[in-house]
Amino acid sequence: MSAESTPESGIPQPGTTGRHRAKGSRRKPAGKRPKGVLIMAWTAAGILVLGGSGAGYLYFKLNGNIKSVDIDSALGTDRPTKVDNGSENILVLGSDTRAGGNQKLGGGPDDGSARSDTAMIVHVYEGHKKASVVSIPRDTVIDRPECTDTKGDTHDAASEVMFNSAYSTGGAACAVKTVESLSGIRMDHYLEVDFSGFEKIIDELGGVTVTTTKDIKDDDSHLDLDAGTHKLDGEQALGLVRTRHGVGDGSDLGRIQLQQAFIKALINQVKSIDLFGGGTKLYDLANAATKAVTTDSDLGSINSLMSFAEGMKGISAANMHMVTMPVQYDPANPNRVIVKEAKAKQVWAALENDKAIPKSATEGTATGEADGVVTSS
């Protein structure tokens, strides 16, 4: 999946990639059809909280829907120190497994393989009234650390590979290990949603309303939206958060801009909907949400997931600061990006110390030119 060049020895220090290159020119990346997916697992969990005790009688069925992985055991003790300042860091991933119902959505053979095409570090500040979200582009070239997956298999370190190779190599545990190596920050929790689960959640919500400031047309993601206000169903929403060539420079960076805008629209939709207005609506939403998510073992039950979401329901879209990890286009390959190390260190230092991400951290970085194309309505 990634173009590998001459390896360098060693694993990068937090906030670095082990590479030092000058900023390259911006070009429209060519590549395979888009496969990214927006991840809103914490909002899916929030559906349960909004329902309160109304979901209690469904406890055993919903509890059985949730899949969990024991990441802590796989990673052991060689991890960044847990910061005890009231904040939490959650790695939120979107996976496009090629098995079962996801095959028609993700494309490619039904071979059971999976990739992580969306990755976000969600930092919840002390008091749980605001959050920062840092998106990590899947096309970022990094040095991947050695890691052990949840089956106990060890995977060798690799130099100059794409970020999303961590998940396809060793699953959730290796993805967490790679993010912790990249950032120097410990991930307190892990949440994952897949293609078909995302689509079903949007449909059960009754769609999500967004406004597009430009036409978005992309045959690959089957999306055709004129500029204006639209209520997107699940298929359309998935197309929006997958599109690469419909807006901007065709890169993963532009897609991240659309995903971040859609997240805010989705949060507003969840907070405004009347979950008790239609008989089985609460059950259908909770059923779709719990089937869609995979969590770390600490969140792997209805009680734990509801408690977690209860602590996050006070965060509104207006109190979520969304950025992309500071990157620049790779001079060696215009289809890839590399970390802007000095600016990335500002981001990681802010999160580690539970501070706001400074504006200077993201100034002058590659963005994909899709900002402001989609807004919540």
Side-chain angles (χ1 to χ4, degrees), residues 223-273:
L223 192 66
D224 186 355
L225 298 175
D226 293 331
T229 299
H230 307 272
K231 190 166 189 177
L232 307 182
D233 61 19
E235 183 178 4
Q236 292 173 313
L238 184 59
L240 177 67
V241 299
R242 292 176 61 201
T243 185
R244 291 181 67 143
H245 305 295
V247 295
D249 63 3
S251 71
D252 190 47
L253 299 175
R255 178 171 58 186
I256 285 173
Q257 297 286 338
L258 298 181
Q259 291 171 349
Q260 291 177 344
F262 188 82
I263 284 175
K264 293 196 172 186
L266 180 53
I267 290 173
N268 289 337
Q269 185 82 6
V270 169
K271 286 184 173 293
S272 65
I273 196 169

Side-chain angles (χ1 to χ4, degrees), residues 237-374:
L238 184 59
L240 177 67
V241 299
R242 292 176 61 201
T243 185
R244 291 181 67 143
H245 305 295
V247 295
D249 63 3
S251 71
D252 190 47
L253 299 175
R255 178 171 58 186
I256 285 173
Q257 297 286 338
L258 298 181
Q259 291 171 349
Q260 291 177 344
F262 188 82
I263 284 175
K264 293 196 172 186
L266 180 53
I267 290 173
N268 289 337
Q269 185 82 6
V270 169
K271 286 184 173 293
S272 65
I273 196 169
D274 177 12
L275 293 179
F276 299 100
T280 63
K281 190 172 191 64
L282 174 59
Y283 167 75
D284 291 339
L285 283 167
N287 193 41
T290 51
K291 283 183 176 179
V293 299
T294 300
T295 73
D296 64 275
S297 53
D298 285 346
L299 295 181
S301 71
I302 285 292
N303 284 343
S304 297
L305 197 57
M306 288 182 68
S307 177
F308 171 75
E310 177 72 29
M312 297 187 70
K313 71 176 185 177
I315 302 174
S316 66
N319 289 328
M320 296 188 75
H321 181 210
M322 296 188 170
V323 302
T324 301
M325 181 179 70
V327 294
Q328 64 190 46
Y329 291 92
D330 187 348
N333 185 345
N335 299 330
R336 305 286 180 259
V337 295
I338 56 177
V339 179
K340 294 197 77 168
E341 298 174 4
K343 288 184 176 290
K345 286 180 179 178
Q346 293 183 52
V347 173
W348 310 138
L351 299 191
E352 185 174 15
N353 293 288
D354 204 33
K355 303 295 184 183
I357 298 172
K359 186 177 180 181
S360 61
T362 55
E363 290 177 337
T365 60
T367 64
E369 302 178 346
D371 187 33
V373 175
V374 173

Side-chain angles (χ1 to χ4, degrees), residues 14-325:
T16 73
T17 64
R19 312 180 76 205
H20 302 276
R21 290 182 172 174
K23 182 176 181 180
S25 59
R26 180 162 54 215
R27 299 183 225 173
K28 181 176 180 178
K32 297 180 180 179
R33 62 192 297 241
K35 298 186 177 80
V37 61
L38 170 67
I39 305 308
M40 273 304 296
W42 68 92
T43 298
I47 291 169
L48 300 178
V49 171
L50 292 173
S53 60
Y57 76 99
L58 300 169
Y59 175 87
F60 290 106
K61 175 168 176 52
L62 298 179
N63 202 62
N65 287 343
I66 301 172
K67 301 175 290 293
S68 64
V69 289
D70 192 353
I71 292 173
D72 286 344
S73 293
L75 297 184
T77 58
D78 185 19
R79 303 177 64 185
T81 302
K82 183 175 178 64
V83 178
D84 187 16
N85 59 12
S87 66
E88 284 188 299
N89 296 299
I90 305 102
L91 178 60
V92 182
L93 292 185
S95 66
D96 63 339
T97 176
R98 294 300 188 260
N102 283 332
Q103 194 274 333
K104 69 182 180 64
L105 299 173
D110 183 1
D111 58 6
S113 63
R115 299 171 181 84
S116 168
D117 285 330
T118 301
M120 300 176 181
I121 298 173
V122 180
H123 178 83
V124 182
Y125 290 92
E126 181 183 12
H128 289 209
K129 297 298 182 184
K130 58 182 181 177
S132 285
V133 178
V134 182
S135 296
I136 303 177
R138 52 165 286 179
D139 297 337
T140 307
V141 178
I142 63 162
D143 289 344
R144 191 181 68 231
E146 177 184 283
C147 63
T148 302
D149 62 29
T150 53
K151 296 178 181 178
D153 296 329
T154 299
H155 303 272
D156 292 338
S159 297
E160 300 190 359
V161 297
M162 277 173 50
F163 167 78
N164 71 339
S165 71
Y167 182 89
S168 58
T169 298
C174 286
V176 172
K177 181 74 171 181
T178 299
V179 169
E180 291 185 344
S181 175
L182 183 68
S183 66
I185 299 172
R186 186 184 181 102
M187 296 296 107
D188 299 298
H189 292 296
Y190 170 84
L191 286 167
E192 177 187 332
V193 157
D194 62 28
F195 271 165
S196 60
F198 169 82
E199 185 174 302
K200 288 175 182 176
I201 288 172
I202 300 303
D203 283 335
E204 293 298 347
L205 281 168
V208 175
T209 302
V210 301
T211 297
T212 61
T213 59
K214 298 179 181 179
D215 295 346
I216 302 178
K217 300 183 187 299
D218 184 356
D219 292 337
D220 287 336
S221 58
H222 310 291
L223 192 66
D224 186 355
L225 298 175
D226 293 331
T229 299
H230 307 272
K231 190 166 189 177
L232 307 182
D233 61 19
E235 183 178 4
Q236 292 173 313
L238 184 59
L240 177 67
V241 299
R242 292 176 61 201
T243 185
R244 291 181 67 143
H245 305 295
V247 295
D249 63 3
S251 71
D252 190 47
L253 299 175
R255 178 171 58 186
I256 285 173
Q257 297 286 338
L258 298 181
Q259 291 171 349
Q260 291 177 344
F262 188 82
I263 284 175
K264 293 196 172 186
L266 180 53
I267 290 173
N268 289 337
Q269 185 82 6
V270 169
K271 286 184 173 293
S272 65
I273 196 169
D274 177 12
L275 293 179
F276 299 100
T280 63
K281 190 172 191 64
L282 174 59
Y283 167 75
D284 291 339
L285 283 167
N287 193 41
T290 51
K291 283 183 176 179
V293 299
T294 300
T295 73
D296 64 275
S297 53
D298 285 346
L299 295 181
S301 71
I302 285 292
N303 284 343
S304 297
L305 197 57
M306 288 182 68
S307 177
F308 171 75
E310 177 72 29
M312 297 187 70
K313 71 176 185 177
I315 302 174
S316 66
N319 289 328
M320 296 188 75
H321 181 210
M322 296 188 170
V323 302
T324 301
M325 181 179 70

